[in-house]
Amino acid sequence: MKVLVPVKRVIDYNVKVRVKADQSGVDLANVKMSMNPFDEIAVEEAVRLKEKGKATEVVIVSIGPQQASETIRTALAMGGDRGILVKTDQMVEPLAVAKILKAIVDAEQPGFVITGKQAIDDDANQVGQMLAALLGWPQGTFAHSLELADGSARITREIDGGLQTIEVKLPAVMTTDLRLNEPRYASLPNIMKAKKKPIEEKSPADLGVDITPRFKVLKISEPPKRNSGVKVSGVPELLDKLKADGVI
Amino acid sequence: MASLVIAEHDNASLKDATHKTVTAAAQVSTPVHVLVAGENCAAVAEAAARIAGVEKVLLADAPSYARQLAEPMEALLLSITDKYDAILAPATTTGKNILPRVAARLDVGQISEILKVISPDTFERPIYAGNAIETLRAPEGKKVITIRITAFAAAGEGGRATIEQIVAASDAGHSKFAGEALSKSERPELTSAKVVISGGRGLGSAENFKLLDSIADKLHAAVGASRAAVDAGYVPNDYQVGQTGKAVAPDLYIAVGISGAIQHLAGMKDSRKIVAINKDEEAPIFQVADYGLVGDLFKIIPELDEELSKRGYK
Ligand SMILES: Cc1cc2nc3c(=O)[nH]c(=O)nc-3n(C[C@H](O)[C@H](O)[C@H](O)COP(=O)(O)OP(=O)(O)OC[C@H]3O[C@@H](n4cnc5c(N)ncnc54)[C@H](O)[C@@H]3O)c2cc1C
Ligand SMILES: Cc1cc2nc3c(=O)[nH]c(=O)nc-3n(C[C@H](O)[C@H](O)[C@H](O)COP(=O)(O)OP(=O)(O)OC[C@H]3O[C@@H](n4cnc5c(N)ncnc54)[C@H](O)[C@@H]3O)c2cc1C
């Protein structure tokens, strides 16, 4: 069974973003970019499936600018087999991402797709579910653990009240949560090997997908600032203050 | 036309996330209808009918909706969405699981986790872990929206909506419920509690984490945690507050042994008052705290507990 893993190049999770003064967006000049952390978890899970003999091939896809091929290389160094870059310098909304991925699924026929539960830049938490719906496949979102059997997957999900286990028929889409696994670091030899792995380039037009944005972003602004408060001398002073504020 | 709110419930009781979503829905399109899909959930539908501002409750009572799995819910919603120009759900794990499927099938984008309705087609939502706020305008056509429940006031009681039974939609049956392990707690829910006390890696163990319980009891607080505390197994996943956990905005948030990473701040910095207890005075949590107590939590927490007792908190 082939496993498809879409990976997104995002601003590194350690970077504190700055909103541009003209409110046109956030400053992405010279900031460190990395693979979306949830996608690292997705790649790791797919590679483990291959190591356990449950997957035959792990195909990595990214939609984005030329530099997104570096993100694909990172995934290949972790153990992915080959990559597909759907190249565009435009912003791509989640629905368009899902349509592009659907076109790739139609062509590649994977039995399982693993996406991140959310991209940490746009925090949309949509793509995996949208892709599943467009394909008419079941989904297991916010995955905490996975057991793959013949023709079905048992997925335990992180939900608001705790954990829920569902069983879905394959093919299916799964989205990763934080505790599914701990992604490996790519070793130097594997990084070298990844340089020779193939990355095919396509455009959204090749796949017949119109990526014209539907939404209009009017502005990107700073959230309300919190003033840092005071240090209190001890517990009694703290409680006096909280009482005066009427919060206890 | 009208807006449709997907009720958040557990078949027995209606969650106040629903009331908050009704508030948002009324700002997008009226009248507001509420869909209660579940199994043996008539009492939930009755509760929904009492929400002020709700005109009609649609009740889909069938075994296939017992757990509100995404696939049957998608089919059900698609069978009724043509009557609505807006479909809204709270940004809970249930809403987030279902709604993007509906949006995709309607060929519209979803507007995730809105903080504010500026006008019926213009919304504010957080991006980059809440470090930026995006104002976006949706195109003509149906709107599919999840709302951040801490950002909207709950609609009141006093409504007298009609309840209409609707028939279940057929579903391919590709997914089925296979079990659950829910955290049991007598405490208020994290996302609606007035006081939240959260612990981080500084607590050091699951055993130590229980130190927070006695204070939580006295303040009627919910207990939360940082990702590090969850990853280390001190508490279950549903305690996690943050960008990729739950967003909370209580009157009082007490962070104990939490450093204040941006991902954590994303989930709690809209709290009215923030208290930080940390031994490192440089910890970033102090930059958002109204009141900071620098010191060893293992000394401060028992002290806090005792002082609360002295002041009559039980
Ligand atoms: C007007 C406008 C402005 C925008 N501004 C910005 C901006 O300032 N900065 C910015 O980074 N983006 C911006 N975007 C891009 C856009 O918001 C997101 O890339 C897109 O909406 C996908 O959302 P998401 O990544 O949050 O999806 P999610 O649903 O949160 O992603 C879930 C998963 O889907 C997969 N996935 C998502 N995107 C891709 C991808 N491109 N390639 C492969 N897999 C993917 C991954 O597995 C990911 O974990 C903008 C878009 C528009 C329309
Ligand atoms: C994709 C992604 C998503 C994430 N999502 C979230 C999320 O939703 N929520 C979240 O919380 N994090 C999230 N994180 C993790 C986040 O980056 C931090 O790693 C995490 O919040 C740190 O938790 P902490 O503050 O408990 O631990 P640490 O950063 O280790 O801080 C522990 C603190 O305890 C203090 N301390 C230790 N001992 C004592 C003592 N005896 N007395 C007093 N103070 C003491 C220390 O001074 C320190 O400040 C995410 C990370 C990633 C990459």
Side-chain angles (χ1 to χ4, degrees), chain A residues 6-8 36 39 63 92-94 116 119 121-122 125-127, chain B residues 128:
Chain A
V7 298
K8 187 181 184 190
N36 181 37
D39 302 352
I63 301 147
V92 192
E93 293 178 354
D121 49 0
D122 203 48
N125 198 328
Q126 300 178 7
V127 168
Chain B
Y128 295 99

Side-chain angles (χ1 to χ4, degrees), chain B residues 16-36:
Chain B
D16 93 323
T18 314
H19 300 68
K20 293 172 173 177
T21 311
V22 166
T23 300
Q27 296 168 17
V28 180
S29 177
T30 49
V32 178
H33 295 180
V34 174
L35 170 68
V36 175

Side-chain angles (χ1 to χ4, degrees), chain B residues 194-217:
Chain B
K194 291 206 157 35
V195 180
V196 172
I197 181 163
S198 288
R201 203 194 312 260
L203 266 304
S205 71
E207 199 47 43
N208 292 343
F209 209 92
K210 298 202 182 89
L211 285 171
L212 304 183
D213 286 352
S214 164
I215 294 170
D217 289 342

Side-chain angles (χ1 to χ4, degrees), chain A residues 99 117 121-122 124 126 137 139 141 160 163 165 167 179 214 216 218-219 221 226 229 232 240 245, chain B residues 71 97 101 107 112 125 128 133 135 137 176 178-179 181 231 240 244 246 269 271 289-292 311:
Chain A
K99 286 181 178 176
K117 85 162 171 180
D121 49 0
D122 203 48
Q126 300 178 7
W137 290 6
Q139 69 190 31
T141 53
D160 288 339
L163 296 171
T165 303
E167 232 173 77
R179 282 157 286 268
R214 310 263 184 103
K216 191 169 161 49
L218 303 180
K219 65 174 181 186
S221 49
R226 271 198 96 93
V232 291
D240 291 346
D245 290 335
Chain B
E71 301 79 8
N97 191 37
R101 290 189 77 106
D107 196 28
S112 294
R125 58 177 297 266
Y128 295 99
I133 307 290
T135 305
R137 185 187 298 144
K176 70 168 197 267
D231 285 4
Q240 185 180 314
T244 61
K246 287 176 184 162
K269 69 182 162 60
S271 305
D290 298 279
Y291 306 118
R311 297 188 184 203

